Amino acid sequence: MWETKMNINQVVEIRARTLCYFGVGALQKVNDICDWLKKEEIDKVLICTDKTVYKVTGVWDVLEPAMKKRGITWTMFDEVVPNPTVDGIDTAVKMGKELGAGAVIGIGGGSPIDTCKSAAVLLHPENAQYNARDLYTFKFNAEKAVPIIAINTTHGTGTEVDRFAVASIPEKEYKPALAVDCIYPVFAIDDPAVMTGLPANQTRYTAVDAVNHVNEAATSLVTSPYTVLMAKETVRLIARYLPQAVAHPDDLTARYYLLYASMIAGIGFDNGLLHFTHAMEHPLSAVKPDLPHGLGLAMLLPAVIKHTYPAVPEILAAIYEPIVPGLQGVPGEAEECAVGVEHWLFNVGVTEKLEDMGYTEKDIDKLVHLAFNTPSLGLLLSMAPIKADERVVRAIFEDSMKPLA
């Protein structure tokens, strides 16, 4: 039983601090949020998004009139890119300062909302002297931010309910992770209706992102029964509803449960943290910024399972029961579980491995170096259930070059 792996004498933190409006129609709650902004005497906001998502999802059709009705003015940074950069954040902050923004609204998936979170820290008066490079090289303690509102448009990152954000520092090929309490959104909106237009690959990649969140959180050194519970339900729901959402993009029930899975996965890794897969994917997408985050994770996941399963077989057997039925939770099943998860990924349409995306054996030295030298990633690696030395990290990259089976 996986319960035997819990240290009942270890005190862990259970976090769920954001008020998330969840369900079909939740987008209408922007009216209540705008009322709250006015009550807080905030009438100027910075909006972070990309050039299309706020329009094609229908978010702007509801948000714009809600702000106008209440006399809230805004400036919009609509140049967020996948794997957002510190330079983009600085541009957004400059726009926010020129307006005098007292809050930040992120519209989109992980990239816009993470940009929003980062900008919120730098817009706080106590942090006025810093820039985004200072923030992501940890030159100061980020303890305060202006209020953050996250209008989520994908079902994968969980960033709308957690204290994490990431950004790339291009000249260093670093993609650090920020984890501070001040960037919990005050409000989040999770409305499945705005996600029916997600392309098939983005539907796949975001869902796989959520699977990775719980795979790591449930097996970290600071996991808890709460995190394992979230993990089991996340995988169950994604295994059931991802094929349906790919085949029938307008199916609101499928979108609802993928979004719920993503949200609880976000809460799960907010408590259990992350380790190998994210610490190793960040170098992949730092070196190749066009790589979708979820795809990078998917390519690494089977090898991570292969190497970590012997240390936490009971937990991983329980989590992956819907995907690889019949696991007994014994160390010798590592290869079976890893190959089974890889087959599932292939079956849902995620067939790429590192070689397919242009990585070669010659890249491994750099990737290993970045995993251990990018600020913050060492902390993630220290949370792994096995010792995360260079030998293991190298072996996971090597095993991820081609299919395991």
Side-chain angles (χ1 to χ4, degrees):
M1 297 292 289
W2 64 262
E3 292 91 337
T4 62
K5 287 294 183 179
M6 293 296 111
N7 178 4
I8 63 172
N9 296 304
Q10 182 177 11
V11 177
V12 298
E13 296 179 346
I14 305 297
R15 295 170 177 267
R17 297 189 181 183
T18 296
L19 173 55
C20 179
Y21 294 112
F22 184 94
V24 177
L27 182 57
Q28 296 298 325
K29 286 292 185 178
V30 297
N31 289 283
D32 294 352
I33 293 169
C34 287
D35 286 338
W36 179 86
L37 288 170
K38 292 297 288 187
K39 181 181 176 182
E40 296 295 312
E41 300 183 346
I42 298 171
D43 58 7
K44 297 176 181 178
V45 300
L46 168 67
I47 296 172
C48 297
T49 186
D50 66 33
K51 290 191 180 297
T52 60
V53 68
Y54 72 102
K55 297 176 183 176
V56 300
T57 55
V59 168
W60 196 241
D61 295 337
V62 180
L63 178 60
E64 183 185 29
M67 293 190 295
K68 284 183 173 179
K69 180 179 178 180
R70 292 157 181 85
I72 298 171
T73 58
W74 65 88
T75 185
M76 181 180 290
F77 175 70
D78 63 357
E79 298 179 10
V80 176
V81 296
N83 299 305
T85 69
V86 288
D87 298 302
I89 293 166
D90 283 337
T91 300
V93 171
K94 183 175 184 291
M95 295 172 64
K97 286 181 176 179
E98 289 172 351
L99 178 69
V104 188
I105 300 175
I107 305 172
S111 297
I113 294 175
D114 284 3
T115 299
C116 161
K117 289 177 171 183
S118 307
V121 174
L122 297 170
L123 283 174
H124 194 280
E126 292 191 12
N127 303 324
Q129 69 270 39
Y130 299 111
N131 61 31
R133 279 176 176 75
D134 296 330
L135 178 62
Y136 278 94
T137 54
F138 308 99
K139 297 235 178 120
F140 69 103
N141 293 323
E143 296 178 345
K144 293 185 178 180
V146 301
I148 298 163
I149 296 154
I151 303 177
N152 183 30
T153 64
T154 68
H155 38 61
T157 71
T159 191
E160 78 276 15
V161 291
D162 69 30
R163 60 194 159 115
F164 289 86
V166 298
S168 294
I169 305 174
E171 70 275 10
K172 293 182 176 290
E173 294 186 314
Y174 284 174
K175 187 180 174 183
L178 181 69
V180 288
D181 285 1
C182 67
I183 60 173
Y184 280 108
V186 179
F187 298 102
I189 290 179
D190 272 338
D191 188 335
V194 308
M195 301 177 192
T196 56
L198 280 176
N201 270 345
Q202 197 169 3
T203 296
R204 295 181 179 103
Y205 298 156
T206 54
V208 171
D209 189 2
V211 171
N212 276 275
H213 287 156
V214 296
N215 182 93
E216 294 166 82
T219 58
S220 80
L221 296 182
V222 292
T223 192
S224 68
Y226 178 75
T227 304
V228 175
L229 176 67
M230 297 295 180
K232 291 177 65 178
E233 185 67 353
T234 294
V235 174
R236 183 185 73 82
L237 291 171
I238 291 173
R240 179 171 181 178
Y241 290 103
L242 177 56
Q244 178 71 5
V246 171
H248 304 281
D250 293 332
D251 187 328
L252 285 175
T253 298
R255 296 289 183 186
Y256 179 97
Y257 282 109
L258 288 179
L259 181 54
Y260 178 71
S262 168
M263 183 190 67
I264 64 173
I267 295 170
F269 88 81
D270 204 27
N271 286 275
L273 301 181
L274 301 169
H275 52 78
F276 277 119
T277 327
H278 275 74
M280 295 176 63
E281 190 287 326
H282 285 204
L284 291 177
S285 52
V287 170
K288 294 182 182 291
D290 291 336
L291 176 73
H293 175 60
L295 174 57
L297 295 170
M299 294 187 294
L300 294 167
L301 178 60
V304 170
I305 293 172
K306 172 184 170 181
H307 287 269
T308 57
Y309 193 98
V312 282
E314 302 92 342
I315 293 174
L316 289 176
I319 291 172
Y320 286 115
E321 172 63 24
I323 290 174
V324 192
L327 295 170
Q328 300 301 307
V330 296
E333 297 168 327
E335 192 87 16
E336 178 185 353
C337 184
V339 171
V341 171
E342 187 171 74
H343 282 166
W344 175 78
L345 288 167
F346 288 1
N347 287 338
V348 297
V350 186
T351 60
E352 298 89 345
K353 301 302 290 186
L354 292 184
E355 281 191 349
D356 301 315
M357 301 308 295
Y359 299 93
T360 70
E361 296 288 339
K362 295 179 181 178
D363 295 317
I364 291 180
D365 284 344
K366 175 190 277 191
L367 295 172
V368 172
H369 175 81
L370 289 172
F372 284 94
N373 289 278
T374 298
S376 79
L377 298 189
L379 174 61
L380 297 188
L381 290 171
S382 74
M383 294 292 108
I386 61 174
K387 183 175 176 56
D389 55 26
E390 290 194 8
R391 177 189 60 81
V392 172
V393 170
R394 180 179 298 277
I396 293 172
F397 278 129
E398 289 172 348
D399 285 345
S400 301
M401 284 288 172
K402 299 177 181 179
L404 291 177

